Amino acid sequence: MELKDTIKLMTSEDYKERFLAEYWQVKIRYDKLKNMVDNWDNLNFKPTCSKFTYNLQLSYMEQYLDILKERAIWERIDLTDKK
């Protein structure tokens, strides 16, 4: 799934679909940032922030994803990417 694939969910009247959009948007951004940090020494550009800052951001994003996963369990929302 890509960010553009979440537009319909994000604009839905159904809160569960908006929740899915929120989860997938954070997950996609987390995965891309994690990939950048994991490949830090092989990047073809110089990051503007320190690796520490990016790792801190990843940590908070991971915590946020964990909270969303917990909510999904309670609210019976399937987070599986159906694509």
Side-chain angles (χ1 to χ4, degrees):
M1 181 175 295
E2 297 179 39
L3 282 174
K4 66 180 180 178
D5 299 323
T6 67
I7 294 170
K8 185 176 178 186
L9 294 170
M10 185 175 55
T11 57
S12 173
E13 295 290 324
D14 181 348
Y15 87 93
K16 288 186 177 187
E17 289 186 351
R18 291 192 310 274
F19 182 94
L20 283 171
E22 180 178 358
Y23 172 79
W24 282 107
Q25 288 167 3
V26 176
K27 177 83 167 97
I28 291 164
R29 288 183 170 101
Y30 172 86
D31 289 345
K32 288 184 179 197
L33 184 59
K34 177 100 171 74
N35 185 57
M36 184 191 90
V37 171
D38 287 348
N39 292 294
W40 189 265
D41 293 328
N42 299 313
L43 298 174
N44 58 3
F45 65 95
K46 182 172 174 41
T48 52
C49 295
S50 68
K51 192 174 183 181
F52 172 82
T53 301
Y54 290 117
N55 277 318
L56 186 60
Q57 181 179 348
L58 282 169
S59 174
Y60 285 111
M61 290 173 83
E62 187 172 16
Q63 289 177 49
Y64 185 39
L65 285 168
D66 288 343
I67 292 166
L68 291 174
K69 289 175 190 173
E70 183 69 23
R71 271 190 60 201
I73 291 167
W74 283 100
E75 297 183 27
R76 293 181 170 86
I77 300 172
D78 180 7
L79 298 176
T80 308
D81 181 3
K82 296 181 173 70
K83 283 199 151 197

